[in-house]
Amino acid sequence: MNTLRNKVQLIGNLGNDPEIINLESGKTLAKFNIATNESYTNNKGEKITDTQWHNVVAWGKTAQIIEKYVTKGKEIAIEGKLTSRSYDDKEGNKRYITEVVCSELLMLGK
């Protein structure tokens, strides 16, 4: 059961082209967001689609694959873990961000 701790699996579409950052250490970082959709029918019989946006980061070889093959609108499946962190913005306000650290990637669709 330990492998189930902090595990996230998402299937969605990229909202924009990935941001690729090559660090001085030689590591590659890919940052992007994906949209997941869930549809349901409300009590009036109307079909409602709820879209959720997820911030995703990937490192190393996974980031290099994303750089070469993944672009805005592509449907992908990812697996990773959920992380939260904080930082101070330019005005000195503390900001919080939650993101998925992608460890597995599967390209779907055409």
Side-chain angles (χ1 to χ4, degrees), residues 1-105:
M1 289 297 264
N2 282 339
T3 59
L4 294 179
R5 294 178 194 252
N6 195 7
K7 185 175 187 177
V8 176
Q9 295 179 323
L10 297 170
I11 297 175
N13 296 84
L14 265 74
N16 54 9
D17 286 333
E19 176 186 356
I20 306 299
I21 302 168
N22 293 302
L23 303 173
E24 289 179 16
S25 64
K27 292 184 179 180
T28 303
L29 169 65
K31 297 169 88 174
F32 57 97
N33 57 34
I34 64 172
T36 56
N37 296 313
E38 181 179 2
S39 297
Y40 61 93
T41 304
N42 66 13
N43 56 4
K44 297 178 183 176
E46 302 166 327
K47 182 180 177 183
I48 306 295
T49 300
D50 180 36
T51 302
Q52 297 291 317
W53 289 93
H54 311 276
N55 296 314
V56 182
V57 297
W59 293 91
K61 296 227 182 246
T62 305
Q64 292 169 357
I65 290 168
I66 290 167
E67 180 179 22
K68 285 184 180 179
Y69 302 108
V70 179
T71 57
K72 178 181 179 175
K74 294 277 187 178
E75 185 179 31
I76 63 170
I78 63 165
E79 182 175 291
K81 66 179 181 176
L82 202 58
T83 61
S84 296
R85 59 186 171 87
S86 64
Y87 65 95
D88 295 326
D89 67 13
K90 292 177 184 175
E91 290 80 37
N93 299 314
K94 188 163 278 294
R95 301 287 182 183
Y96 298 91
I97 187 166
T98 300
E99 54 198 5
V100 177
V101 177
C102 175
S103 57
E104 303 269 338
L105 170 76

